């Protein structure tokens, strides 16, 4: 799996830019990804990029997004310079925030965090169904 990366500034505008970058990498990889799976990947990218921009990237810092895709899976990593790892929250019904990682956990095949020399990265993978795989029974 070939991985491509791009840096984004600490800005709310970086979230849609990270989604667009992810879509470009997946399109270039010719991964056999259906619309539903692409939407799932982009939602997870939005959640991780939003968390990084709002809570993890220091002022003047940058978010590094790495994306790889092939016929079997998509992998995305969001790197920042903050060592503090995100944690799953269990917000109350009326809380306005705190559900991002719950969404990633529900959608992704796998996700986690790893350290790097100057910070950490949060990653997820989404397994792709082979072409012609019937949908699960309802």
């Amino acid at each position: 799996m070939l991985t491509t990366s791009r840096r984004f500034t600490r800005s709310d505008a970086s979230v849609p830019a990270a989604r667009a970058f992810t879509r470009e990498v997946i399109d270039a990889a010719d991964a056999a990804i259906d619309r539903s799976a692409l939407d799932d990947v982009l939602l997870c990218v939005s959640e991780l990029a939003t968390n990084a921009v709002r809570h993890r990237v220091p002022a003047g810092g940058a978010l590094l997004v790495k994306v790889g895709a092939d016929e079997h899976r998509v992998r995305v990593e969001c790197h920042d310079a903050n060592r503090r790892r995100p944690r799953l929250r269990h917000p109350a019904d009326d809380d306005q925030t705190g559900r991002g990682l719950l969404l990633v956990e529900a959608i992704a095949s796998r996700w986690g965090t790893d350290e790097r020399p100057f910070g950490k990265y949060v990653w997820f993978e989404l397994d792709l169904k082979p072409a012609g795989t019937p949908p699960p029974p309802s």
Side-chain angles (χ1 to χ4, degrees), residues 69-118:
D70 62 23
E71 67 274 10
H72 303 292
R73 68 189 165 110
V74 174
R75 179 180 172 95
V76 177
E77 299 175 1
C78 290
H79 295 241
D80 64 62
N82 187 318
R83 285 207 174 274
R84 190 167 148 231
R85 292 182 180 224
R87 61 180 175 81
L88 282 175
R89 295 178 52 195
H90 299 284
D93 290 344
D94 58 348
D95 286 347
Q96 297 296 313
T97 63
R99 292 176 181 80
L101 286 179
L102 289 171
L103 285 170
V104 172
E105 182 173 69
I107 293 169
S109 302
R110 290 164 293 288
W111 78 278
T113 62
D114 287 307
E115 291 183 9
R116 49 185 228 138
F118 299 103

